[in-house]
Amino acid sequence: MTSTEKKAPSKKEESVFDWLKTLPPREGNIFFSLCEGGKKTVNKSKLKEALFDSGLQINDFRLRSFFEKLDRHRSNDIEFEDFNSIIKAGGLLIEKALRGELAVPDFRDFSINLDKIYDEIRPNRSGDLAKYIPPLAEVDPEQFGIAVVTTDGQIYQRGDSDVDFSIQSMCKVFNYSIVVENLGLDKVNRHVGAEPSGRQFDDLTLMVKGMGGSSLNPNNQIPFNPMVNAGAIMTTGLINPKNSTGQRLDYIREQFGRIVGWNAMETSGIKRPRFNKNMARQENFKGYNNIATGFLLMATGNIPHSDSLLPEDAHEDKEYEYDFYIEPAVTNALKVYFSICSLEMTAKDIAMGAATLANGGVCPITQDRVLSQSTVRNVLPVVQMAGMYNSSGKFFQEIGLPSKSGVGGGILLIVPQLMGICIFSPRLDSVGNSVRGLEVARKITQKYLVHLFDGTMTDTNRIDPKVPISKWRASSCGEAIWAASNGDVRSLERLTSQQRDLQAGDYDIRTPLHLASAEGQTEVVKYLLNNGVQPIPDRWGGYPISDAKDNGHNEIVELFTKLDVNYSEPVHLVEDPDGETDEMATFDNEMMVIELLFAAFENDVPGIRQLVARSIPVHAGDYDLRTALHLASAEGSLQAVKYLIEHGHPLNVRDRWGATPLDEAKREKRDSVIKYLSSLKK
Ligand code: GLN
C-alpha cells in the first residue's frame, strides 16, 4: 500500500502511532479506526453500529458465526487479539464493510437519500388498482415499500417492504431466466423472440417470422418476447412439460426461491415464494385473453403438443357424440402461468432476486450460483427492451435500467454489477405500471448515475453510488487542482475535454487558478484564463492574485491585473505566528487526502473512520497544508474534531498562511470547537 510517514508531536500522540505500528497493518488500522475515547479497545456496540451503517444486517446468513462470536465475547470492550479473531469469523465481508469497500460504500448517505425519495413520493395517490383480477382490486392501495439489495448483500428497506404481494408479470423475468438456463438460448429462441413488441402486455398479436401465418403455413410465428403474456405463457410451457402441473409449480417455486435467497437447508431465513391459489383461480376464471393466447401459441405449433396420436373416443356408440379434445399442453401451460403470476413475495425478496441478476447470477446472500453468467447476459437485454410493457422504450430512455413491472404494483430494477431494487405500490398508470414505482425509479436516476448510458463524472450534481461521497467530491475538483498546482497543462486539457468544471473549488473554495498562482505555474494560469475560467474568492476572500503576490510570482500578478476584476484581500487569522508548530503527515495518495478533508468538512465521521481503516494518517495535509482538523474546526464539526484528536491528530499544524485549527475555529466563531480545542491546549 501507500507509504506513510507518521510524525507526531507530543508524547501522547506518539504513543498512539507507536502502538499502531506494533499491530499488523491491515487489521491494525481497522481496529484503530474503531477505537474511541483514546482507548485501545473497541466497543462491541460501536462495531455493530459501524456494520449496520454499512448496510449489513443482523440476520445476514453470511455473518451468523461472526455475530455469534461477537455476542459470546465476555466484555463490552474488545482488545485487538480478540477483535482480530472475531472479525476473521466474518471473513473479508466485515473488513470490506469497515474499510468502505462494499458495493455502495456510503450506504448511510444512500439510505438517507432513499428515505427522502420515499417521503417525497408518498403523498402521490394517483392511479388505480388493477381490477380485472378480482383479488387485486381488494389490496390496500396505500401500501408503499422500497427495498434495495446490493451485489454485496447490503440491504435497504423502507415502508411495506416486508409485505407479501402478487408478483404477477414480474415472474416473467425469473421464468425466462430459468428456461434459458435449462434449455439454452438457441432452443428458447426457436419458441420466443427477443424483439420489442410495442404492444400492450396481453396483446394477441404474435411476432411474424415469415410472410404471415396461416393454417396452411404454421410454425412461422412466435411471441415477440418473453416479457409479454404470449411469450411468458410460451416459456412457462417449456418448463418440464412432461411433469404434472403441481410438480412444475413446485419446481418453479424452488428455482425462484433460489434466485431470491432461499436455500434447501432453509438456513438463510428467506422463504420460497408463496402460492395464492385463489388469485390463480380467479385469474383463470375470466382469463379469456390469456387462454386465447395459449391456443394461438398452439396453433402456430410452438408449444410442444402432448400427444402425437388422437386418443380413443369413448363415445363410438353414439352417432353425434365425441370427446371434445382440448390440448392439455396448452391448459397446463396456462395453469402454471396463472399459478406463477399469483406467487407472492415481498419487495425485499424481489430486490434480492434482482440483485442476483445484477450479480451475474449468484445470490449475494447465499452465494448460490443460480444462473450462469451467460444466462444473465442473455436475459437482461430482453428485460431492458420489453419489461415495462408498451412504455419500455420511453422508460429505458429515461431511466436506463432493465426493469419489470407487474399489475400487482411491483417494479423491479436491475443495476448491473451493483444492485437490485424493488418498489411496491399498487396503484397503476394506464399501461399497468405502478405510479409511485415509476416516480421512485425516476428520482433514483435523477440523483444517482445509474442509467446504463450515464457518463461518469461530468454531471457533478448527481452521485455515483459506487464511490464514497467524499471521494466523489474529491474527484470533482481534486484532480484539476493537483494538476494546476503541478503545472500539468496536459491533464487540464484532458479534463476540459471531459467537460469538467475547472472553476470548481474544494472545501475552502480553493480552485485550480489559486493553486497555479501560488505555485507560479504561469502556463497553467494562461491556459485556464484562455478557457474562460474566472478568478473567484476562496474561503478567506482571497483571489488567485493574492496567491501570486504572496509567493512573488509577478508575471502571474500582471496577468490578473489586466483583468477587469475587483480583488478583495483575504482575511486570515493567525493568533500566535511564532507559537508551537506540529508536523503533519505526508501521504502519497493525494486524492485520498482530499477525500479525508472533504469528510472532515462534512462532519462525516463514518467516512473519516473508513479512511483511517484504509490507513491514511489523520493529520495528512493538502496542497495548502490544510489538514482534516483545520476543516473540521472551521466548519464547527465537533464530532469530527473529537474523532481526529482521539486518533492522534496534533493540534498545532499550520496551513499555508500559518493558521492552526484553533485559529480557524476562532475566525469562524465555532464556539464548541474553540472550547474543546482550548481545553486540550492547557
Ligand atoms: N397475470 C397477469 C396477466 O396475465 C399479469 C399481467 C401483468 O402483470 N402485466 O394478465
Side-chain angles (χ1 to χ4, degrees), residues 132-133 168-169 172 201 229 283 290 337 341 389 405-408:
Y132 75 102
I133 304 174
Q168 293 298 325
S169 272
K172 291 165 181 165
F201 62 86
N229 288 11
E283 187 177 1
N290 284 329
Y337 170 74
C341 284
Y389 313 133
S405 60
V407 291

Side-chain angles (χ1 to χ4, degrees), residues 343-356:
L343 289 178
E344 296 188 349
M345 301 199 213
T346 67
K348 140 110 191 296
D349 293 340
I350 296 169
M352 183 73 74
T356 298

Side-chain angles (χ1 to χ4, degrees), residues 481-488 519 521 524 590:
I481 297 178
W482 277 113
S485 114
N486 294 331
D488 179 0
E519 301 301 333
Q521 306 293 1
V524 171
E590 297 164 336

Side-chain angles (χ1 to χ4, degrees), residues 130 132-133 136 166-172 200-202 227-230 232-233 279 283 287 289-290 337-342 387 389 404-410 428 431-433:
Y132 75 102
I133 304 174
L136 288 182
S166 194
I167 66 171
Q168 293 298 325
S169 272
M170 294 162 109
C171 72
K172 291 165 181 165
Q200 63 201 44
F201 62 86
D202 54 356
M227 300 296 125
V228 292
N229 288 11
I233 296 168
M279 185 78 70
E283 187 177 1
N289 202 85
N290 284 329
Y337 170 74
F338 291 135
S339 304
I340 62 176
C341 284
S342 88
Y389 313 133
K404 183 79 203 85
S405 60
V407 291
L428 310 177
V431 283
N433 292 321

Side-chain angles (χ1 to χ4, degrees), residues 356-372:
T356 298
L357 290 166
N359 199 29
V362 175
C363 172
I365 294 286
T366 57
Q367 297 295 306
D368 179 6
R369 171 162 292 289
V370 197
L371 304 166
S372 70

Side-chain angles (χ1 to χ4, degrees), residues 419-450:
M419 62 175 76
I421 302 170
C422 178
I423 308 125
F424 162 54
S425 184
R427 291 196 192 91
L428 310 177
D429 66 9
S430 59
V431 283
N433 292 321
S434 163
V435 175
R436 282 175 175 155
L438 283 181
E439 274 299 299
V440 172
R442 216 166 261 142
K443 295 256 176 197
I444 289 178
T445 36
Q446 281 161 7
K447 180 88 197 166
Y448 289 102
L449 290 161
V450 289

Side-chain angles (χ1 to χ4, degrees), residues 495-516:
L495 294 170
T496 306
S497 67
Q498 289 173 4
Q499 291 182 302
R500 300 278 196 100
D501 180 4
L502 297 185
Q503 204 167 297
D506 64 9
Y507 27 73
D508 289 321
I509 332 179
R510 299 283 289 166
T511 65
L513 211 42
H514 284 104
L515 271 298

